[in-house]
Amino acid sequence: MTVSSAVQNADERYALARAAYREIPLYTPDKTPVAIDLRDNTNLWGVPPAAARVIADAARAVARYPTLYSMDLKRRIAEYVGHGVTPESIVVGCGSDEVLGSAIRGLAEPGDHFVYSDPTFPMAVLYGRMAGLTPVPIPFAADWDIDPDAISAARGRVIYVCSPNNPTGVPASRASIEAVVTNSDGLVIIDEAYAEFAGVTSVDLALENDRVLVTRTFSKAFGLAGLRVGYGIGAPALIREIEKARGPYTVNALAERAAVAALTEDLEWVRERVAETVANRVRLREKIAELGFAPLPSESNFILLVVRDAVGLTGRLFDLGVGIRPYPKLPRIGDAVRMTVGPWSMMQTLLSGLRTAHNEWL
Ligand SMILES: *Cc1c(COP(=O)(O)O)cnc(C)c1O
């Protein structure tokens, strides 16, 4: 087969494909280059300085395997997270995506229910489907909180709570999270990819209850998305099962060193960037509301706007050099667009683009 016919036939079904994979699409968000890219909620100030230095110095480390389960990194994460977390309560992975996928694969059987509030982070739902679980979407309650009664009634072997939720930006209330944990008997995964921007956490619940796993990442506040490091916090017995499903060596030697350096020397840099993000988010949301758009009340490093035509607005901003993420026809929301909050100069370009688009449509 020639290369071009292989490409042409990429849509064809593969005979040996697993049944659970047949309807699963490859995750392919738009990555077309754009001057100001606000599409993926990463740290728009860049890489923290100590992490950058360690990466430049680490070339000699890569001829050998990394450590099996990253004990040094786990110790630093435990100190950073606080709440009395110990390294035995931590699993690290190639992004928190790998922790999510390993937890679902390691703890649930094909046919079990994967319960989540819709709309949420699509990769979590895809990992559920890849493991053969049946997705059970539950509508959000009023105020964008999760609906604990509907979630508990759905009998999830795995219940996924993203808090703050992507793409709405709103955290689940503490009372709702506690109700879900109390009134269900499956694994409750609380995805805290944006916890640094919200200032609330459920880590204490993960230490008290061996059915609760909290996941976090170095991809957002920490500015290390390209290295792929994330972690989960839970009871040591749960963590061991997830590590079995994950396997050894998945956090590479550069990533491990850079994450340790970031936790040891860059925390002030990270905290300053988080404070700036939160200040810019509040300011941006006010300005966007003044333009006549309807932004949701985010507690993360992005804002979701309800709009009339998500794809049209995204295309218009792209022409003006600004990349945002379109969400056509979200459940309970309708058309919306999501944009990452970054340095104010980028936000000014975004605002002038939104102003132009808005005026054209008035
Ligand atoms: C970005 C994001 C992640 C991050 O995943 P990594 O694999 O750690 O880069 C996880 N969960 C949510 C909700 C996210 O938005």
Side-chain angles (χ1 to χ4, degrees):
M1 195 190 281
T2 65
V3 171
S4 70
S5 70
V7 171
Q8 277 165 10
N9 291 336
D11 283 343
E12 277 180 16
R13 296 259 165 96
Y14 179 61
L16 299 181
R18 275 184 60 187
Y21 277 49
R22 274 186 206 125
E23 304 306 325
I24 294 177
L26 194 66
Y27 180 73
T28 49
D30 186 7
K31 294 283 182 183
T32 318
V34 60
I36 296 181
D37 190 346
L38 309 180
R39 292 175 295 197
D40 64 7
N41 304 341
T42 48
N43 190 323
L44 296 172
W45 284 268
V47 180
R53 193 194 68 232
V54 166
I55 294 166
D57 291 346
R60 75 205 129 66
V62 300
R64 305 302 299 264
Y65 282 103
T67 63
L68 281 157
Y69 300 101
S70 313
M71 194 37 118
D72 201 22
L73 176 55
K74 288 184 184 183
R75 283 194 204 97
R76 296 292 177 182
I77 291 171
E79 281 171 32
Y80 167 66
V81 172
H83 295 275
V85 172
T86 60
E88 293 68 37
S89 301
I90 296 172
V91 50
V92 297
C94 180
S96 54
D97 272 19
E98 185 180 55
V99 177
L100 291 171
S102 304
I104 297 164
R105 196 165 65 236
L107 277 303
E109 310 279 353
D112 285 343
H113 287 183
F114 180 87
V115 178
Y116 63 101
S117 301
D118 194 25
T120 196
F121 181 50
M123 283 312 302
V125 184
L126 281 178
Y127 286 123
R129 290 172 62 185
M130 288 177 204
L133 278 67
T134 303
V136 184
I138 305 288
F140 275 93
D143 305 334
W144 310 110
D145 195 4
I146 58 172
D147 180 343
D149 295 338
I151 289 173
S152 306
R155 300 191 348 269
R157 172 70 177 205
V158 178
I159 297 164
Y160 175 76
V161 177
C162 189
S163 181
N165 183 51
N166 179 2
T168 55
V170 183
S173 71
R174 177 70 181 206
S176 296
I177 293 174
E178 285 181 359
V180 166
V181 172
T182 305
N183 299 323
S184 59
D185 52 17
L187 175 68
V188 181
I189 300 178
I190 304 170
D191 184 336
E192 295 192 348
Y194 302 99
E196 279 88 355
F197 305 102
V200 291
T201 182
S202 298
V203 164
D204 55 317
L205 289 181
L207 297 178
E208 284 166 14
N209 190 313
D210 69 1
R211 290 185 296 104
V212 177
L213 176 74
V214 168
T215 60
R216 298 253 192 106
T217 181
F218 285 86
S219 298
K220 306 291 159 65
F222 274 86
L224 297 174
L227 286 179
R228 316 295 306 121
V229 194
Y231 54 100
I233 299 161
L238 166 62
I239 293 298
R240 244 187 336 269
E241 294 308 305
I242 299 171
E243 258 174 359
K244 283 190 214 167
R246 191 208 78 159
Y249 300 131
T250 66
V251 176
N252 73 68
L254 290 188
E256 187 177 0
R257 280 158 194 245
V260 167
L263 289 169
T264 315
E265 299 176 63
D266 287 325
L267 281 183
E268 197 180 318
W269 185 93
V270 171
R271 288 192 176 121
E272 284 168 4
R273 296 294 85 71
V274 167
E276 209 171 338
T277 303
V278 170
N280 287 356
R281 179 188 76 209
V282 171
R283 195 171 162 198
L284 178 67
R285 185 162 178 262
E286 282 168 13
K287 300 263 181 213
I288 286 175
E290 283 168 17
L291 287 179
F293 289 100
L296 267 64
S298 170
E299 290 191 37
S300 44
N301 71 337
F302 57 86
I303 293 179
L304 189 77
L305 298 188
V306 181
V307 297
R308 194 168 45 80
D309 173 9
V311 172
L313 178 61
T314 301
R316 186 69 188 102
L317 281 187
F318 188 88
D319 294 340
L320 298 168
V322 180
I324 59 173
R325 188 74 76 90
Y327 289 89
K329 300 192 179 65
L330 284 178
R332 276 213 54 211
I333 298 176
D335 270 29
V337 294
R338 193 194 70 191
M339 52 213 59
T340 312
V341 177
W344 192 248
S345 60
M346 291 188 190
M347 301 300 97
Q348 282 175 312
T349 310
L350 165 69
L351 280 167
S352 80
L354 285 172
R355 197 171 294 119
T356 302
H358 197 56
N359 290 339
E360 286 166 0
W361 286 339
L362 282 179

